[in-house]
Amino acid sequence: QVQLVESGGGLVQAGGSLRLSCADSGRTSSTFAMGWFRQAPGKERELVAAISWTGERTSYADSVKGRFTISRDIEKNVVFLQMNSLKPEDTAVYSCYANPVYSSLTHAIGGYWGQGTQVTVSS
């Protein structure tokens, strides 16, 4: 069973950096496409970044392009989200998501979710 656990969230000032990690304790998600979603209170959940199971294909929301980088260690079943030049509008709960189909990440139908980690960026 896929069991996703996020870590690395916290409080940073605008312009700072954080690196989020998502580990599959079930050790079964290495062949899954992975994504990072975020959701702030009163706002819709959005896909921030996605990566194919091989790691050769990535995509980003326009709002984070050039600032965020998604990567993965397939052998260790860990996905990372490096967040640089953080802005207050990046404040949200960030959740890791796994789905066997890369093209299914956008609407997050099916798949598996982590519990989320809070990222707060102060102005």
Side-chain angles (χ1 to χ4, degrees), residues 33-96:
M34 304 291 294
W36 286 96
F37 284 80
R38 69 183 182 187
Q39 186 169 28
K43 297 182 179 180
E44 295 184 355
R45 181 181 61 198
E46 65 173 336
L47 177 63
V48 175
I51 188 168
S52 62
W53 75 272
T54 61
E56 66 183 20
R57 184 178 180 184
T58 59
S59 62
Y60 299 91
D62 289 340
S63 60
V64 306
K65 285 183 178 179
R67 300 188 298 118
F68 291 11
T69 302
I70 188 170
S71 61
R72 71 188 302 172
D73 185 327
I74 297 176
E75 182 178 356
K76 296 182 179 180
N77 285 336
V78 179
V79 180
F80 303 98
L81 184 67
Q82 179 66 45
M83 305 183 294
N84 299 325
S85 301
L86 284 163
K87 305 174 181 179
E89 61 214 63
D90 295 318
T91 296
V93 173
Y94 285 71
S95 299
C96 184

